[in-house]
Amino acid sequence: MKETFVLPDLESLRELSSSSTDKIIVISIVGKTAFSSNGLKVKDLGRMFTSGTRRNNSESEHTIEGYYDEENQIVYLHAHTLLDTDCLVKHYESICERFKNEEYDFLSINDEIKNNFAKVFLFLLYVSHIVILSHPGSTFDTNYIQYFKALTALGQKLNGKASKYLEKVENISQDWLNNGRPCIPRLLFYFERCPRNVMNIKKLEHNMEDRIYHILKKTRILTASNPLFAVPLNQEFVYVSSNPPVDRLGEAVKGLISDCQPGGAMQVKPPFSKQTETERSFQKMLQEHIQHARTKGFNDPVMPRHVSYTTTPFELPILKTWIDVVKIMYERLITKKITTHLNTDTKFSEQRCLKVLPLALAQYQEGLPSHYGKAEHEARLAMALNLFRAQARGSLFPKYVKQLQKDCLAHWENGRQQCEAASMTGNPCKLPKHGNEQDHISGFIYKAACDCGRKVGSREDPYNAKQANYLYYNQLRKDCYCSKLERVDFPIFEPSIKEYKAATLNDHVEDPLSIQSDHSGGSTPDVERDSLIRQPSTTEYLPGMLTLSSPSGLLPVYSSWSLVCLGLSSLYSHNLGLSESHHPGFLSSTNYLLPWDVTVYSKAKSNNWPQLSKSSGRGRRGRSSGSLPQFTVKVFIGLEYECPAGHRFMLSAPDKVLKAAPGSIVKDTGHKIAESDMPLYFPCACRAGKIAQLMRIHVVTPKAPVNCTLNPKVQPGSNAPIFVPTVDGPIKLSQSSYWVLRLPFVYVADKEHYSQNNYSRLLKGVFGVSEVD
């Protein structure tokens, strides 16, 4: 009876009635095959298997087929791995998928293939009596030396463990249990092809035996204390096939054509014939080894000189016992992952990377402060990676690059992270990472003048709008004369209850004036509801600064703007400019206001009063144009910029710093700054090259009976809302007075903070002049 199977499924063998009595010989076939061989090694023996039917249905990259000849009590095992070309082609796409993973490259996948082959080879050496190593060519593949050395080292570690694995197997002999296997198997070498022009094949085989034996002995594979295999000393162990390569498809077509001819008959040759072999054949050679195993057993190991000769155990196991052993060893050696010493292609890479890895990590850690930010971490990591790239090598480089990045990140996150919370000006907090209960500190200190510009103080980098636009100036006001000056109070939120809160703005309502409030009624008519909503709320305040798009009826808790009157207009002299004592910090020749001549039309004839856009020549003499009386007034205006170092200067145009010639009057006029959008940020002329910000608007009103007004509108970015101090319209300024409007330091809407950018601007239409009612 012939029984085929695929490991580890051996239930069909266990069900045989003779499984408890048959003493078997196990012959295994392993090695490499060419694509034309269809994975069948040792052609005459390979045909007894399933012709790849079960193997092809398996998704595993390595399979072991089995064939049990119950009549002769021989178990044949045929290993099929990725070293077989047809198997490699079958799994080519799945192998390519692995390359998408950065940790895989050609060498790492090649190592996996070799490791899997080594596991199969080791398994066969532990369950077989004879192992046939098949070569697709005619020369000995010296790459197997690498496998032999690795498996010998692994076998030394496995000997003790194998005994523990087999302790629960019934009816196992003590020798088998102690050695972990029934015997030291014989290794036979089979070569599929014979070199050309060889007249004496037998002589060739003997020469190859001598060379192989010499190589195995010199590499100490055969002389190890407990070798994994042996070669017979007095029997042939090399066979070179003299049959020419056969094109199976071509032969099948020729046979089909021949059979279709009149009188043709298909000739079928069985894989095993009982007739006597008259010619040389591998079956005949193999039969001699089988007969030797049944009669005397194998005792082939070459003992080292310092070891006395001993007989090695040899046992022909019962089929049932062998099946139990195979299941255990298959699970331990094939299913589970084991490490071999075959990764020579990646071993150097691993050793080199492991040597350089601590050096690169030390480079990262050298001179580090107690805590540092992300930018410092990334800069240090780049230095470490440069060192690693310069010295690390091999296919495992990407894997250890990730390890280096992981180690550096872990070092940083282990109590060394800087808080890095951004201030309103974009500077990170320099403190160690902390909770919200601790205040942030960036370490940047700015110089800034007070509301009126007379007192200059040092301010910490602000982390909220209230600190930036209100608290600093409120504190500085106490040490300055501006606390006693006349001041215009902008409308702010006035609560009527103790538990007031910030309003929740509804982004989904089309009406920008509507708000989502818990206090709003649900059944109020539209007209009545509109009038109620537009009343200033006393229970909810505006969470951000006031803009033209803010919901009506909501006011901020504090004003981010300030408007003070310094005194009479005589405080300013156009010949001398702003005095250093009252306005410190101005750059040389930039401390002047610009004269702005405005033509005012009498209300007796017209009620339309232009702002900024109408002007005429200098002088105050009244004129009449047709039936419209008019007169000209002179207003002095200035836009003051302030840099973080405390330097101050005026602009004479959107792109020009005011510059007066020494000892002369300013020749520029205020028409450009009055009739143009002015930048909110402008480069300072100081050596530090810092960016200055528009912080104050100066207005000196004339004694003429006119109303000068301010209507500042700031748009701090592209598509940003327009920020205003009040929504009640232009602010009237008293006559013959010097007024200073201080702008916010930062601009924060309901949900967004606007940092410094090139689109920020003060919209034109700030200044206005009209006749007194």
Side-chain angles (χ1 to χ4, degrees):
M1 179 179 178
K2 314 293 193 229
E3 188 72 31
T4 59
F5 55 88
V6 176
L7 264 60
D9 184 11
L10 298 171
E11 295 305 318
S12 59
L13 295 184
R14 193 187 297 274
E15 294 174 358
L16 296 176
S17 59
S18 60
S19 63
S20 300
T21 58
D22 286 352
K23 287 193 173 184
I24 61 172
I25 293 179
V26 183
I27 301 174
S28 299
I29 307 172
V30 68
K32 304 177 183 179
T33 58
F35 182 72
S36 59
S37 299
N38 196 28
L40 297 180
K41 308 170 186 69
V42 190
K43 294 186 177 104
D44 293 333
L45 297 181
R47 295 191 183 97
M48 72 178 69
F49 297 99
T50 59
S51 301
T53 304
R54 296 186 187 179
R55 184 181 70 235
N56 292 333
N57 293 334
S58 174
E59 296 297 328
S60 176
E61 293 181 352
H62 50 270
T63 56
I64 301 176
E65 297 177 286
Y67 176 88
Y68 180 49
D69 183 358
E70 188 176 11
E71 181 179 355
N72 297 306
Q73 297 179 348
I74 301 176
V75 174
Y76 294 91
L77 298 179
H78 185 279
H80 199 72
T81 68
L82 288 178
L83 294 189
D84 297 296
T85 311
D86 66 313
C87 184
L88 183 64
V89 171
K90 175 185 175 183
H91 295 281
Y92 173 76
E93 293 184 0
S94 63
I95 293 175
C96 290
E97 286 293 323
R98 300 187 202 174
F99 284 102
K100 296 180 181 179
N101 188 339
E102 293 182 0
E103 295 184 1
Y104 280 93
D105 59 3
F106 172 78
L107 292 179
S108 60
I109 293 178
N110 187 45
D111 285 340
E112 280 191 11
I113 294 174
K114 292 193 296 184
N115 283 337
N116 290 332
F117 176 78
K119 291 193 299 182
V120 172
F121 202 165
L122 182 65
F123 168 76
L124 296 178
L125 290 172
Y126 265 80
V127 299
S128 307
H129 298 92
I130 300 173
V131 178
I132 304 170
L133 186 60
S134 176
H135 293 69
S138 58
T139 57
F140 173 63
D141 188 353
T142 55
N143 288 321
Y144 282 118
I145 301 299
Q146 181 186 17
Y147 287 101
F148 297 156
K149 287 183 176 181
L151 294 179
T152 299
L154 187 59
Q156 300 292 341
K157 299 179 181 179
L158 188 61
N159 284 339
K161 296 180 180 179
S163 300
K164 295 181 180 179
Y165 299 157
L166 305 178
E167 286 178 350
K168 297 182 181 180
V169 177
E170 296 180 0
N171 302 324
I172 189 171
S173 66
Q174 190 61 40
D175 287 340
W176 192 349
L177 188 62
N178 292 337
N179 292 280
R181 50 184 176 165
C183 70
I184 297 177
R186 277 186 175 179
L187 187 65
L188 308 182
F189 296 84
Y190 180 88
F191 297 89
E192 292 282 353
R193 290 186 296 174
C194 178
R196 294 181 179 180
N197 303 323
V198 174
M199 304 301 295
N200 191 340
I201 297 180
K202 186 62 65 175
K203 183 178 179 181
L204 172 66
E205 291 173 344
H206 290 168
N207 289 336
M208 294 182 70
E209 286 177 354
D210 293 340
R211 292 178 183 177
I212 292 174
Y213 180 82
H214 179 74
I215 293 173
L216 296 180
K217 188 175 180 181
K218 285 295 184 181
T219 53
R220 299 182 180 180
I221 294 172
L222 295 179
T223 57
S225 59
N226 188 18
L228 282 179
F229 62 85
V231 295
L233 299 178
N234 300 317
Q235 286 182 275
E236 296 178 343
F237 60 89
V238 171
Y239 181 83
V240 179
S241 176
S242 58
N243 297 328
V246 178
D247 183 0
R248 292 189 176 185
L249 181 59
E251 291 296 325
V253 172
K254 290 179 181 179
L256 180 61
I257 295 175
S258 176
D259 295 338
C260 292
Q261 299 297 325
M266 183 176 292
Q267 301 295 326
V268 179
K269 181 180 180 181
F272 293 99
S273 176
K274 292 187 178 180
Q275 63 184 5
T276 305
E277 293 282 352
T278 56
E279 299 179 358
R280 61 183 298 273
S281 66
F282 182 72
Q283 292 96 326
K284 185 177 180 180
M285 171 184 162
L286 180 61
Q287 190 63 38
E288 293 178 1
H289 292 281
I290 295 174
Q291 187 65 27
H292 196 280
R294 290 200 183 277
T295 56
K296 299 180 181 180
F298 300 148
N299 189 25
D300 301 323
V302 179
M303 297 299 174
R305 294 179 180 179
H306 62 278
V307 178
S308 60
Y309 180 81
T310 58
T311 302
T312 57
F314 182 88
E315 180 178 346
L316 297 179
I318 297 174
L319 178 60
K320 184 177 180 181
T321 304
W322 181 82
I323 291 173
D324 294 336
V325 171
V326 166
K327 281 186 170 294
I328 294 174
M329 298 306 292
Y330 188 91
E331 180 182 358
R332 295 291 181 176
L333 298 182
I334 305 269
T335 305
K336 291 189 176 181
K337 184 177 181 179
I338 61 174
T339 304
T340 66
H341 299 273
L342 291 169
N343 303 348
T344 54
D345 293 328
T346 56
K347 190 174 182 180
F348 168 76
S349 176
E350 183 176 20
Q351 292 177 345
R352 187 62 189 169
C353 290
L354 287 175
K355 183 178 181 179
V356 179
L357 186 63
L359 299 178
L361 187 60
Q363 175 77 17
Y364 173 87
Q365 298 174 355
E366 183 180 0
L368 278 176
S370 59
H371 56 276
Y372 49 97
K374 185 177 181 181
E376 178 70 15
H377 163 71
E378 292 179 346
R380 292 277 183 162
L381 179 60
M383 293 172 58
L385 289 174
N386 287 336
L387 174 64
F388 192 77
R389 291 190 187 98
Q391 301 187 28
R393 295 291 184 274
S395 61
L396 295 183
F397 176 83
K399 174 184 175 181
Y400 284 97
V401 163
K402 290 185 177 180
Q403 183 64 41
L404 176 60
Q405 293 172 336
K406 182 179 178 181
D407 292 345
C408 292
L409 181 62
H411 182 81
W412 178 46
E413 291 179 345
N414 186 21
R416 297 176 178 84
Q417 280 183 286
Q418 188 174 318
C419 175
E420 292 193 279
S423 68
M424 303 303 289
T425 58
N427 298 313
C429 175
K430 69 176 184 179
L431 298 178
K433 196 171 184 179
H434 57 83
N436 295 328
E437 66 279 357
Q438 185 177 359
D439 293 335
H440 299 290
I441 299 176
S442 70
F444 286 85
I445 303 297
Y446 302 131
K447 288 185 178 181
C450 64
D451 290 339
C452 67
R454 179 175 295 184
K455 182 74 175 178
V456 177
S458 298
R459 69 184 306 165
E460 293 184 355
D461 199 6
Y463 272 85
N464 56 70
K466 186 174 183 179
Q467 182 183 5
N469 297 335
Y470 178 74
L471 293 180
Y472 170 76
Y473 296 103
N474 192 48
Q475 181 65 32
L476 197 60
R477 185 189 307 171
K478 298 176 182 179
D479 301 330
C480 181
Y481 181 72
C482 62
S483 61
K484 302 177 182 180
L485 296 177
E486 178 185 352
R487 183 179 299 271
V488 175
D489 294 325
F490 296 112
I492 59 175
F493 170 73
E494 296 181 1
S496 61
I497 58 176
K498 292 183 179 180
E499 298 181 355
Y500 57 89
K501 61 180 181 179
T504 303
L505 304 184
N506 188 355
D507 296 333
H508 303 289
V509 180
E510 293 184 1
D511 183 5
L513 299 179
S514 64
I515 62 171
Q516 178 182 340
S517 171
D518 296 337
H519 304 279
S520 61
S523 59
T524 306
D526 293 342
V527 177
E528 184 179 353
R529 178 177 178 273
D530 185 71
S531 62
L532 289 175
I533 289 177
R534 281 162 173 75
Q535 295 296 324
S537 174
T538 59
T539 59
E540 295 178 325
Y541 62 87
L542 185 67
M545 294 169 59
L546 189 63
T547 67
L548 292 182
S549 57
S550 297
S552 180
L554 292 181
L555 295 174
V557 178
Y558 57 89
S559 176
S560 299
W561 308 68
S562 171
L563 180 58
V564 295
C565 180
L566 302 186
L568 298 176
S569 59
S570 58
L571 289 175
Y572 176 72
S573 171
H574 192 47
N575 293 328
L576 301 177
L578 302 177
S579 64
E580 179 66 22
S581 59
H582 287 178
H583 302 275
F586 270 89
L587 298 177
S588 177
S589 303
T590 64
N591 56 334
Y592 288 87
L593 303 182
L594 295 174
W596 177 43
D597 295 333
V598 183
T599 300
V600 180
Y601 295 90
S602 174
K603 287 187 176 181
K605 296 295 182 179
S606 174
N607 292 325
N608 297 325
W609 306 109
Q611 296 182 354
L612 310 181
S613 59
K614 298 295 182 180
S615 61
S616 63
R618 289 190 167 186
R620 293 179 172 271
R621 184 175 301 174
R623 298 181 182 181
S624 62
S625 175
S627 59
L628 297 177
Q630 61 182 17
F631 58 94
T632 301
V633 295
K634 185 183 298 291
V635 183
F636 289 92
I637 58 176
L639 299 183
E640 177 192 329
Y641 290 76
E642 185 178 60
C643 84
H647 301 128
R648 302 160 68 182
F649 58 90
M650 301 284 187
L651 289 189
S652 60
D655 57 351
K656 182 181 179 182
V657 177
L658 187 151
K659 195 72 172 178
S664 62
I665 299 177
V666 178
K667 297 181 180 180
D668 294 314
T669 65
H671 294 295
K672 289 185 178 180
I673 65 173
E675 299 176 1
S676 306
D677 291 341
M678 296 298 292
L680 193 60
Y681 303 96
F682 198 85
C684 182
C686 63
R687 293 181 180 180
K690 298 181 180 295
I691 300 297
Q693 180 179 343
L694 175 60
M695 289 303 303
R696 289 169 194 83
I697 298 176
H698 297 251
V699 180
V700 178
T701 60
K703 296 181 180 179
V706 294
N707 284 327
C708 292
T709 60
L710 282 177
N711 190 20
K713 298 177 182 179
V714 176
Q715 190 173 27
S718 178
N719 300 322
I722 297 175
F723 289 78
V724 293
T726 177
V727 292
D728 296 335
I731 308 163
K732 291 185 179 181
L733 306 178
S734 59
Q735 300 175 9
S736 187
S737 302
Y738 191 158
W739 290 88
V740 175
L741 174 69
R742 193 261 305 160
L743 278 67
F745 183 66
V746 297
Y747 294 86
V748 181
D750 304 324
K751 297 182 179 180
E752 187 175 0
H753 162 238
Y754 295 92
S755 56
Q756 184 182 116
N757 62 85
N758 295 330
Y759 298 98
S760 304
R761 54 184 179 164
L762 173 70
L763 301 180
K764 61 183 178 181
V766 178
F767 307 98
V769 179
S770 63
E771 185 183 8
V772 176
D773 295 336

